[in-house]
Amino acid sequence: MLNTELRKIRHGGRLFIFIAAVCLLMFYGDTREASERYGLQTGGQMIDFYGTINAPIAIAINHIANKWDLNAEELRGRITSYYELSFEIEAPQFKHLGKPALGFFAMAMFLAPYYIGMDFKARVFNNALYAGRTRASVFTARVGVYFALCAVMSVVVSFALVLAYSASMLGKLPAIELLSYFAKRLLTDLAIMSIPLALVCAFRTVVYPALITFGVCAIAWFGFYTAGSAIPLWLPCVVLPLCIVASWLSFRRADLA
């Protein structure tokens, strides 16, 4: 069954286009949240901002130092241009890159209904059972590939965020800190994506899981946004296994005859 799923991905041109579009949507959502919620800027955006208002470099240094809690006097001793100053914001910005989650919230309502919900609608799972596959093998293969795709998208978008806001940190930070950043975002993203998976397996359709996922994610995101906090690490550790178990229980008891 796993080979069948992998073959479908290799020959699924529309799926690749869909995933690419979702990745762009995720990246756009995360950059908007990073900008509006945390005030993150790319180096080019920072240079354009101070260049547009024609601010003296000393004023720009003071503003950046106050914003990111840096030593203004030390910066004035060695920074002579906006370009040099743009590198100083990358280290403090990196600490916020693990927080935005709007991108995965925005796309959670699309992938599971499209990738798994359509198989219920097209009776793909029924045909696999008729061919002698066990429910466990069908579920494991489909869900395993689903989470693998989610993981790839999470890593791609996370890496793109680092390149956009803190590219120089890739060569400065210890490997363990970089791995921690990617692992935390990956865990959170997979937990978010497990919610529509459970709903799709429960309803075995496309529309209702998408709408409910949108509502759940909107409430969760606005709740954390209003509170001004990131998603606590314990929450995805609880949500992910619970949703996987719920998905399996629904799939095991589903009428697929």
Side-chain angles (χ1 to χ4, degrees):
M1 188 66 189
L2 180 59
N3 290 334
T4 302
E5 295 299 322
L6 295 177
R7 193 179 306 115
K8 287 167 65 177
I9 291 178
R10 287 197 301 268
H11 299 286
R14 286 183 296 180
L15 178 61
F16 283 117
I17 295 174
F18 177 80
I19 290 174
V22 168
C23 284
L24 290 175
L25 175 63
M26 290 157 49
F27 182 74
Y28 174 76
D30 277 355
T31 53
R32 285 296 300 271
E33 182 170 3
S35 174
E36 296 180 7
R37 184 176 179 184
Y38 305 111
L40 272 58
Q41 294 176 302
T42 65
Q45 288 172 337
M46 194 217 75
I47 293 171
D48 289 342
F49 173 76
Y50 290 112
T52 299
I53 63 176
N54 199 26
I57 186 63
I59 299 298
I61 289 174
N62 287 337
H63 185 261
I64 290 296
N66 290 332
K67 180 178 180 179
W68 296 112
D69 195 24
L70 302 174
N71 188 327
E73 185 176 349
E74 188 272 336
L75 290 177
R76 283 194 293 268
R78 59 185 177 83
I79 299 298
T80 60
S81 67
Y82 296 148
Y83 177 76
E84 293 177 352
L85 184 60
S86 68
F87 289 101
E88 301 299 322
I89 67 175
E90 294 190 352
Q93 287 192 153
F94 182 82
K95 299 176 182 178
H96 294 278
L97 291 182
K99 296 179 181 179
L102 177 60
F104 253 77
F105 277 152
M107 65 78 63
M109 63 180 292
F110 295 112
L111 186 58
Y114 173 82
Y115 186 66
I116 296 178
M118 290 299 293
D119 280 1
F120 280 110
K121 186 175 181 180
R123 300 180 62 83
V124 172
F125 295 128
N126 306 62
N127 295 334
L129 295 177
Y130 295 156
R133 308 287 185 181
T134 64
R135 291 202 180 209
S137 66
V138 172
F139 177 83
T140 301
R142 196 58 164 164
V143 171
V145 174
Y146 168 76
F147 277 121
L149 290 174
C150 294
V152 169
M153 289 188 289
S154 174
V155 171
V156 168
V157 174
S158 298
F159 188 73
L161 287 171
V162 175
L163 288 180
Y165 293 108
S166 301
S168 65
M169 302 309 295
L170 290 173
K172 296 179 181 178
L173 288 174
I176 188 66
E177 191 168 346
L178 283 173
L179 289 175
S180 175
Y181 158 71
F182 283 106
K184 289 178 180 178
R185 279 196 62 97
L186 177 60
L187 177 62
T188 301
D189 293 341
L190 292 182
I192 293 171
M193 295 308 299
S194 69
I195 297 172
L197 172 66
L199 291 170
V200 166
C201 290
F203 286 94
R204 300 185 296 281
T205 185
V206 176
V207 178
Y208 291 136
L211 294 177
I212 296 174
T213 298
F214 177 78
V216 170
C217 289
I219 292 172
W221 181 77
F222 279 115
F224 286 112
Y225 186 92
T226 303
S229 60
I231 297 176
L233 189 59
W234 64 265
L235 188 56
C237 292
V238 173
V239 170
L240 180 58
L242 283 180
C243 286
I244 292 176
V245 171
S247 301
W248 164 242
L249 293 176
S250 297
F251 188 84
R252 188 181 65 177
R253 297 173 182 175
D255 181 11
L256 300 175

